[in-house]
């Protein structure tokens, strides 16, 4: 059984439009925050370590999204992340946001591991790949 990474984000005023609901581009910021938290807490390889010390990055090369229900200021969203497919240089993820049992958003980003200096894809390091495989669900 694969692991699922989870963390919570409270919907703040900064996330909302004048109607008090999350303005959809802010969800993409929360998706990126989830990826960054996963790298730090779930994989033990923080973005600052990866980008600043190691010289690598994981840009999003594509992303799909479905918005199931609105989120309101004050809601506490539980974000869950699993790896759908782990390629030689890429990772296909599924990230969901729920408030209680209600699904609010599903995102399917594809990340590519790149060398920051060249901007070219490179194979995942053995250590990072091993940690990511713990989250591999295989559900496409």
């Amino acid at each position: 059984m694969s692991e699922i990474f989870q963390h919570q984000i409270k919907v703040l005023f900064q996330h909302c439009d004048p109607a008090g609901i999350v303005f959809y581009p802010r969800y993409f910021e929360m998706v990126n925050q989830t990826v960054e938290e996963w790298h730090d807490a779930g994989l033990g390889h923080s973005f600052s370590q990866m980008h600043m010390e190691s010289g690598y990055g994981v840009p999003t090369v594509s992303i799909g999204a479905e918005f199931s229900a609105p989120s309101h200021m004050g809601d506490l969203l539980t974000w869950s992340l699993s790896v759908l497919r782990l390629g030689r240089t890429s990772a296909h993820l599924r990230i969901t946001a729920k408030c209680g049992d209600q699904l609010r958003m599903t995102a399917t980003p594809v990340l590519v591991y790149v060398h920051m200096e060249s901007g070219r894809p490179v194979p995942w390091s053995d250590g990072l790949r091993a940690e990511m495989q713990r989250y591999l669900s295989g559900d496409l």
Side-chain angles (χ1 to χ4, degrees):
M1 181 99 182
S2 65
E3 294 183 39
I4 296 174
F5 176 77
Q6 291 189 323
H7 78 117
Q8 294 184 317
I9 300 174
K10 184 177 180 179
V11 175
L12 303 174
F13 178 79
Q14 70 188 20
H15 300 127
C16 296
D17 64 15
I21 62 174
V22 173
F23 181 46
Y24 75 92
R26 300 293 179 237
Y27 276 118
F28 292 106
E29 293 173 349
M30 291 184 234
V31 165
N32 190 72
Q33 181 179 343
T34 301
V35 170
E36 191 166 345
E37 294 282 352
W38 174 55
H39 272 80
D40 189 26
L43 303 177
H45 196 70
S46 72
F47 264 33
S48 62
Q49 178 186 8
M50 183 182 0
H51 288 83
M52 306 307 281
E53 297 172 22
S54 301
Y56 295 93
V58 287
T60 300
V61 297
S62 81
I63 189 166
E66 293 184 23
F67 305 96
S68 304
S71 295
H72 300 85
M73 197 180 327
D75 285 351
L76 187 60
L77 302 179
T78 300
W79 290 83
S80 301
L81 180 153
S82 61
V83 178
L84 298 176
R85 188 172 73 198
L86 186 57
R88 190 175 74 82
T89 63
S90 64
H92 296 244
L93 308 179
R94 177 184 297 129
I95 300 174
T96 61
K98 290 184 176 181
C99 186
D101 291 332
Q102 186 181 45
L103 180 65
R104 300 294 177 84
M105 187 232 190
T106 302
T108 51
V110 178
L111 309 179
V112 173
Y113 194 53
V114 299
H115 188 266
M116 297 289 285
E117 193 172 300
S118 71
R120 303 298 305 160
V122 294
W124 296 106
S125 68
D126 291 340
L128 191 52
R129 182 179 194 77
E131 290 299 315
M132 293 173 82
Q133 285 178 326
R134 295 186 2 239
Y135 299 92
L136 188 60
S137 72
D139 297 335
L140 280 177

